[in-house]
Amino acid sequence: MKKQIDISEYNDIIIDMEPIEVFKALSNESRLQILQWLKEPDRHFAPHEGIDMNTIGVCVSQITDKLKMTQSTASQYLTILLRAGLIKAERIGKYTYYKRDEEAIGKLADFLKTEI
């Protein structure tokens, strides 16, 4: 007899984050690295234009430089993480800043811990 999994407690994460998209996003080493860097931005990046990286995020150009990839590839990776619901973006002037969505990551961790 199959065990029924009650995901009602996690409905908001399932609605906001498609599980397959989340796992696809996490299946790339560079995208995982981005998430790790964004967890402690002060440790991995220099401040950009006086922006508080912990509150606002890290500039796309800084992530691109650290990845040692083209802006196009870095932007594609960030878009995948954004669509998966793992990061948030904020545009200030001509720059876009990215930070982790800690609430969504926490809900995903809880879901994995209790249901899978």
Side-chain angles (χ1 to χ4, degrees):
M1 186 170 171
K2 280 187 171 181
K3 180 185 173 200
Q4 220 39 32
I5 297 176
D6 178 15
I7 61 168
S8 59
E9 179 180 347
Y10 303 100
N11 275 344
D12 53 343
I13 193 171
I14 300 301
I15 291 166
D16 294 340
M17 303 169 74
E18 290 292 326
I20 296 301
E21 295 306 313
V22 172
F23 295 121
K24 282 183 189 177
L26 296 173
S27 70
N28 175 281
E29 188 175 342
S30 294
R31 290 190 295 263
L32 278 174
Q33 186 69 68
I34 292 168
L35 283 174
Q36 290 170 337
W37 291 335
L38 293 179
K39 185 174 185 177
E40 299 178 286
D42 292 325
R43 184 173 167 210
H44 299 285
F45 300 97
H48 183 261
E49 305 232 341
I51 297 293
D52 179 353
M53 293 182 292
N54 293 295
T55 304
I56 303 298
V58 176
C59 183
V60 65
S61 63
Q62 294 173 283
I63 295 168
T64 300
D65 291 345
K66 193 153 180 81
L67 283 171
K68 295 181 175 65
M69 294 181 176
T70 65
Q71 170 120 16
S72 171
T73 302
S75 291
Q76 183 180 28
Y77 285 173
L78 289 163
T79 298
I80 290 167
L81 291 169
L82 192 62
R83 286 185 182 154
L86 297 168
I87 62 174
K88 296 177 180 182
E90 182 172 347
R91 186 142 180 104
I92 300 175
K94 63 181 181 176
Y95 300 108
T96 302
Y97 296 87
Y98 293 90
K99 68 178 182 177
R100 290 166 42 118
D101 186 333
E102 295 298 341
E103 183 180 353
I105 291 170
K107 288 178 183 178
L108 176 63
D110 290 345
F111 175 75
L112 290 172
K113 194 179 343 176
T114 60
E115 301 298 335
I116 293 183

